[in-house]
Amino acid sequence: MNKSNLAKKAPFSFAAAVGAGMTAIAAEKGGAEFLLLLNAGRLRMRGAASLGCYLPVEDANSWIARIGKTEVLNKCKIPVLMGCSVANPNMSVEGIVETARMSGFSGVTNFPTAVLIDGKVREILELQNIGFGKECEMIKVASQQGLQTLAYVSNNAEASMMVTAGADMLCINIGFTHNSSIEASDLTLDNTAKIIDRALKNIPLEIPTYVEGGPITTPEFALSIYNKSRVQGYIAGSTIDRFPLEETIVDVAKSYRIISQIKTDNNSDRNSNFIYGSSKKMQEIQKLVKYFGEKDDPILIVGPSGSGKSLLAEEINRHAENNYPKLIHIDCLGLSPNNSVEELFGTALGHYGTGTPSQAGILEDADQATVIFDEISTLNLETQAKIVNFVDTGIVRRMGGDRQLKVRCRIIATTNAPIDSLLEKKLLREDLYYRLNTVQMYIPALKERVEDIPHLAKEILNETTKSNKKSISNSGFGALLDYDWTGNVRELKNAIKRANLLSSSNTLKSSDFNFLTEFIKPNRLKEIPQISLSEQQRTVASKPTMTEREWIADALQRNRFKRGPTADELGITTRTLYSKIKKYALYSP
Amino acid sequence: MKILTLTSNCEKARSDQILCPILDGLNAAQADCAAIIPSGNANNLLVSKLPKHTGLLDYQAAILCSDPFMNRETFFTELYSRGIRSVSNWPTTIFLEHNFKKAMNNINANPATEFECLADAMKIGMKTKAFILSLEQGKQAISQGIRDLIVHPGLQIALSEGVQNTLYESLHFMIETLLKIEPALNVYIYQHTKHDMETHHKRYTKNPPPISGYVIYQESE
């Protein structure tokens, strides 16, 4: 579209294609400029797909006339156009227009329309004069009778025919929006804009033009098409009734299902932090921590990755702070595989060759400390043997040295693999296992203790939004409960952080957690509308959706473009982060 | 050689008719498009138009298998109680092509769903005759256990005699192929008019295709 056209363009407008009184009234209240009453809308209200409008499941015209008279026309003040089918050869266009006029409609539109039908069937429809040609006749007759007319078209030839027939408004139908979910069609927004402009070539500018269907599923997409093409408005169908209605019903239904679990959570121990929850298993662990926390016994914590083993170890340490005020956290995976003994116990002067300096080991500083060995089974067996001796004696002797240092410490070890398997595969020395296993605490996977999720989610959110408290709606809890959480508490934590970043609302709803189950199509992400600053400000204020690009860019900025901390915050690997940075060209300024 | 008629007239129903009242007022070409003519509720209309008398209980009916609101078990039970013993898929989606076919496929308005629906009718003791247009559709119907097929020659577009001959040759080849896949099939050829049927029959008197009969469309008077 050229700039001179853009300058003359009318403000963005929208109309709604509905099928029931309730949605008609709501759309009017929401600011729709006019309504189309269509059998497709009625089918949606009955739980079927819009496309069913073509099927012989009702007499489209008498059905819509009846709904108009009984539900819509006496309640809405804005113009209501009747969707008229011309496919029935037994009905003349004069008869159809008369039905619309007598029922009290302001005008007519050709719906269901033949413009979406292709192949030989379309040929037969036209040959039999029950296709687009008859739709043009109907628009002509209605126009002559002073009724408002909006014509659905899909290409330039059809648009020209309808203009000749006297159509007041045109609507380019890009195809039906996907019937069951907000899933874009294969068309991109740019391609859609091109199709629209081709269809409207040489169509007089004074004729208002609209678009419907295809990949347009949100107000942002509609605005983008408005900016990219010559259409001045959007006709919302399933995107204004079915999708939001379904989402709301799902949310409310989930609320009823979840409410009892949330109540249970309200009664749970408010002093516990986000390690625990209301599940029996976690309550047992809490008792063990209280009992053994202050004692000296070694503790072995077993649980799947992300289940919170390290946090539990630190929690145990908090109970023993009087005896062991220091905390040494050793990430065994982070130790050098060939020099882990040296890193733990230190090296004497000349150990690596004549003149090499001595080096202190981590454990030399372990006096009066709780020493946490994270993922202890990843240490090699030689190192494990040294640790057996250390557990027994508390003695640290540098490699290559004679001097012995005795420390008094408490050992906590964690592992994510099942103990049986570690012993069988000889990844964990039996003697070390028996020494560490004085007390064993097993943290189940999150999916085995879903009743903890509401409590954990609240605690995590509270911690995440310290200054600006937020809450999670019942439906939001429902979404969290429905998810599998293979990454356990760590994944939950990341999800809540992400939802918090994506939503500017004070309450996180089910839809704020859609990213858990939705696959975001890259081509859609590329085409997020490029709108002006003032529009952006308005959009941010009204609909705070965030793209993946924005989400990642935000995190990068917060972490000063350091990839490690950014990946950690986002809950993705650095490799994935790198590929996203490359994909969205998010480089440090 | 059996000759069945697809008719909208249910008043004097006979066992050699396939009743489909939604086709009332449609000519043969329009009847092919009935699946995309929203002129009424095809299945409700059938139930309301079925003969009330309880004499012969051996009617055949054509149903809209892609009706999104159909409760198959309830519907077939009702049809059975009203004397229907055989059902066919009409109005049908077998003619849909290209983008519209893809779109309708999204809502399960497609031949596969129609054959699946007929298979459900068989479960309550009904016979089925499936309208098909292509070999692929024939295979789908056979895989659902349907053994009576009505092969449609295609939408009624004016064709030269040469093209018409080629079309029939391929139609016969398709029938032979289907019979090789399932020898127990009964295959009928659909014709838009009685005249078309007679012309076809005469044309292939010496070398007739291996069919059990014809189904012809009978326009309402």
Side-chain angles (χ1 to χ4, degrees):
Chain A
M1 193 174 64
N2 63 46
K3 282 182 182 174
S4 59
N5 287 345
L6 186 66
K8 292 174 195 167
K9 203 169 181 180
F12 177 79
S13 75
F14 96 96
V18 297
M22 181 185 75
T23 45
I25 294 162
E28 182 180 19
K29 277 185 187 167
E33 285 161 35
F34 62 91
L35 300 174
L36 307 179
L37 189 60
L38 308 182
N39 67 339
R42 188 59 160 196
L43 288 167
R44 289 196 296 271
M45 289 300 102
R46 291 179 63 187
S50 304
L51 258 173
C53 64
Y54 288 94
L55 297 170
V57 290
E58 289 291 344
D59 175 356
N61 294 337
S62 59
W63 203 32
I64 290 304
R66 193 171 63 246
I67 295 163
K69 281 189 279 191
T70 56
E71 298 178 21
V72 178
L73 294 168
N74 55 347
K75 296 189 177 84
C76 293
K77 291 187 176 70
I78 54 175
V80 183
L81 278 62
M82 172 177 166
C84 298
S85 165
V86 300
N88 185 350
N90 300 319
M91 291 186 77
S92 68
V93 292
E94 289 79 9
I96 296 167
V97 172
E98 182 68 0
T99 302
R101 206 170 56 79
M102 294 302 286
S103 303
F105 286 93
S106 310
V108 297
T109 186
N110 53 325
F111 192 93
T113 173
V115 303
L116 294 178
I117 300 171
D118 46 15
K120 291 195 195 76
V121 179
R122 174 73 183 270
E123 278 183 54
I124 295 290
L125 292 179
E126 301 305 339
L127 283 170
Q128 293 293 322
N129 193 29
I130 51 175
F132 186 74
K134 192 176 174 186
E135 291 173 18
C136 290
E137 281 176 47
M138 182 192 69
I139 293 294
K140 187 177 179 181
V141 170
S143 183
Q144 285 167 351
Q145 293 190 15
L147 290 172
Q148 287 184 351
T149 52
L150 178 138
Y152 277 103
V153 295
S154 67
N155 58 41
N156 188 245
E158 290 166 356
S160 301
M161 284 169 74
M162 278 298 187
V163 170
T164 306
D168 299 318
M169 299 174 277
L170 296 179
C171 179
I172 313 295
N173 195 313
I174 306 296
F176 279 80
T177 310
H178 194 277
N179 72 88
S180 56
S181 64
I182 304 178
E183 183 179 316
S185 72
D186 294 337
L187 277 175
T188 63
L189 294 179
D190 281 331
N191 287 342
T192 303
K194 281 177 193 159
I195 289 171
I196 291 167
D197 284 341
R198 270 202 302 270
L200 295 176
K201 195 178 175 187
N202 299 326
I203 297 299
L205 284 172
E206 59 269 23
I207 293 184
T209 52
Y210 293 83
V211 64
E212 183 181 352
I216 306 164
T217 52
T218 65
E220 286 78 9
F221 283 15
L223 181 64
S224 176
I225 287 290
Y226 166 82
N227 287 332
K228 286 171 188 245
S229 73
R230 75 158 266 193
V231 286
Q232 71 179 56
Y234 172 61
I235 295 179
S238 52
T239 52
I240 206 173
D241 55 30
R242 182 172 179 154
F243 295 155
L245 189 63
E246 275 181 351
E247 196 176 312
T248 304
I249 293 171
V250 168
D251 280 359
V252 173
K254 278 184 177 172
S255 298
Y256 281 103
R257 192 174 63 76
I258 191 67
I259 195 73
S260 60
Q261 289 181 53
I262 294 166
K263 292 234 173 197
T264 305
D265 175 62
N266 288 339
N267 296 329
S268 66
D269 181 2
R270 302 311 307 157
N271 295 322
S272 63
N273 64 19
F274 62 82
I275 296 167
Y276 306 119
S278 56
S279 67
K280 198 178 166 189
K281 187 66 202 173
M282 293 313 284
Q283 295 288 322
E284 282 171 9
I285 289 179
Q286 195 171 8
K287 282 181 195 166
L288 285 175
V289 170
K290 276 181 185 168
Y291 184 77
F292 287 102
E294 292 176 4
K295 301 190 186 308
D296 303 329
D297 310 85
I299 294 177
L300 179 61
I301 303 172
V302 183
S305 181
S307 58
K309 299 183 293 293
S310 300
L311 291 173
L312 180 61
E314 287 172 12
E315 171 71 3
I316 294 166
N317 175 59
R318 271 191 284 279
H319 285 75
E321 273 172 347
N322 290 338
N323 292 336
Y324 304 102
K326 281 195 290 188
L327 176 68
I328 296 176
H329 208 136
I330 300 169
D331 177 9
C332 298
L333 269 168
L335 297 178
S336 159
N338 299 325
N339 293 309
S340 52
V341 174
E342 286 81 355
E343 286 182 53
L344 289 171
F345 293 92
T347 52
L349 186 70
H351 174 67
Y352 290 117
T354 312
T356 54
S358 64
Q359 198 174 346
I362 298 167
L363 294 175
E364 286 180 37
D365 197 32
D367 196 37
Q368 296 193 339
T370 294
V371 180
I372 301 171
F373 288 97
D374 251 346
E375 302 301 340
I376 195 163
S377 62
T378 59
L379 293 174
N380 61 41
L381 295 179
E382 183 202 345
T383 309
Q384 289 184 25
K386 296 277 183 195
I387 292 173
V388 170
N389 185 52
F390 174 71
V391 173
D392 285 345
T393 63
I395 287 175
V396 182
R397 188 172 59 85
R398 289 184 183 179
M399 303 305 292
D402 298 325
R403 197 169 69 89
Q404 293 185 347
L405 178 70
K406 180 141 174 98
V407 298
R408 186 183 147 269
C409 68
R410 203 256 183 95
I411 307 285
I412 300 175
T414 76
T415 177
N416 67 23
I419 296 296
D420 290 352
S421 155
L422 291 174
L423 294 174
E424 194 181 326
K425 291 177 184 167
K426 301 203 183 301
L427 294 170
L428 180 65
R429 290 179 63 105
E430 273 194 46
D431 49 3
L432 177 59
Y433 166 66
Y434 289 121
R435 280 162 178 82
L436 296 175
N437 198 39
T438 312
V439 180
Q440 189 184 115
M441 296 182 187
Y442 171 70
I443 307 179
L446 194 51
K447 67 181 174 188
E448 290 168 31
R449 50 184 183 106
V450 287
E451 60 270 46
D452 291 340
I453 290 173
H455 169 75
L456 293 173
K458 276 186 197 175
E459 294 293 335
I460 292 165
L461 186 63
N462 284 342
E463 192 182 87
T464 309
T465 58
K466 275 171 188 160
S467 56
N468 178 26
K469 287 293 175 200
K470 287 192 180 184
S471 60
I472 302 174
S473 71
N474 291 343
S475 70
F477 283 124
L480 297 178
L481 284 169
D482 281 346
Y483 189 63
D484 240 7
W485 302 115
T486 47
N488 294 296
V489 179
R490 184 183 294 133
E491 191 183 8
L492 175 67
K493 202 171 174 180
N494 287 328
I496 287 168
K497 280 184 179 176
R498 182 172 172 180
N500 176 46
L501 286 170
L502 292 171
S503 169
S504 68
S505 162
N506 282 331
T507 305
L508 300 182
K509 302 180 295 298
S510 171
S511 54
D512 293 319
F513 296 101
N514 281 350
F515 61 83
L516 289 171
T517 49
E518 272 180 4
F519 174 69
I520 303 171
K521 284 188 176 178
N523 63 341
R524 286 183 66 188
L525 290 165
K526 279 181 200 159
E527 293 212 44
I528 291 302
Q530 299 298 309
I531 52 182
S532 68
L533 186 61
S534 58
E535 283 160 351
Q536 277 181 21
Q537 284 161 343
R538 281 202 303 275
T539 308
V540 168
S542 58
K543 180 126 176 65
T545 51
M546 202 178 207
T547 63
E548 187 178 56
R549 187 184 189 281
E550 290 163 339
W551 176 60
I552 291 168
D554 259 21
L556 279 166
Q557 273 177 349
R558 271 193 305 280
N559 292 286
R560 298 179 182 187
F561 281 82
K562 289 178 184 163
R563 288 170 191 176
T566 306
D568 193 39
E569 180 186 318
L570 297 173
I572 58 179
T573 63
T574 46
R575 196 174 169 176
T576 305
L577 176 65
Y578 181 72
S579 70
K580 302 274 182 195
I581 289 170
K582 209 172 161 187
K583 180 176 162 189
Y584 298 130
L586 292 167
Y587 298 107
S588 168
Chain B
M1 181 78 63
K2 278 186 193 173
I3 297 173
L4 307 173
T5 53
L6 177 65
T7 178
S8 65
N9 187 352
C10 301
E11 282 176 18
K12 294 174 183 172
R14 299 193 312 263
S15 61
D16 62 350
Q17 292 176 324
I18 301 173
L19 307 176
C20 189
I22 194 71
L23 302 179
D24 188 30
L26 306 188
N27 64 32
Q30 292 161 350
D32 286 344
C33 303
I36 50 169
I37 299 178
S39 59
N41 187 316
N43 291 338
N44 283 358
L45 192 65
L46 170 67
V47 172
S48 69
K49 294 277 183 185
L50 283 175
K52 297 279 188 290
H53 61 82
T54 55
L56 176 70
L57 293 177
D58 192 17
Y59 298 128
Q60 303 187 55
I63 60 170
L64 177 69
C65 295
S66 45
D67 182 344
F69 304 110
M70 183 201 290
N71 178 324
R72 290 178 187 173
E73 195 179 343
T74 311
F75 182 54
F76 292 139
T77 306
E78 177 162 19
L79 288 183
Y80 196 93
S81 71
R82 298 289 298 278
I84 301 295
R85 294 293 177 269
S86 173
V87 286
S88 296
N89 51 320
W90 199 282
T92 178
T93 58
I94 60 175
F95 308 108
L96 302 186
E97 295 175 299
H98 313 308
N99 287 331
F100 191 64
K101 177 183 173 180
K102 267 197 252 176
M104 294 297 268
N105 204 40
N106 279 340
I107 62 165
N108 287 325
N110 54 31
T113 305
E114 293 180 9
F115 305 141
E116 193 188 291
C117 176
L118 295 182
D120 281 350
M122 286 160 63
K123 287 177 193 163
I124 69 154
M126 286 202 190
K127 290 177 186 166
T128 54
K129 288 186 180 69
F131 281 92
I132 62 160
L133 182 70
S134 66
L135 183 63
E136 184 60 31
Q137 290 169 5
K139 287 178 184 173
Q140 285 175 348
I142 290 169
S143 72
Q144 289 288 348
I146 298 165
R147 294 295 173 262
D148 287 13
L149 301 181
I150 305 168
V151 180
H152 196 290
L155 296 171
Q156 205 177 29
I157 293 170
L159 301 172
S160 66
E161 196 180 334
V163 175
Q164 188 78 43
N165 285 341
T166 310
L167 188 144
Y168 277 130
E169 295 302 325
S170 65
L171 195 75
H172 297 169
F173 180 72
M174 183 174 93
I175 293 168
E176 284 162 12
T177 308
L178 288 168
L179 282 163
K180 278 179 194 159
I181 295 168
E182 178 50 66
L185 283 182
N186 295 308
V187 182
Y188 299 80
I189 290 180
Y190 178 81
Q191 293 288 4
H192 289 101
T193 64
K194 192 177 175 188
H195 176 260
D196 287 349
M197 178 194 75
E198 287 167 352
T199 307
H200 177 267
H201 190 61
K202 272 182 201 164
R203 191 180 294 176
Y204 297 100
T205 309
K206 287 183 183 169
N207 187 20
I211 59 172
S212 305
Y214 291 93
V215 175
I216 53 173
Y217 183 67
Q218 186 180 63
E219 283 184 32
S220 46
E221 289 158 10

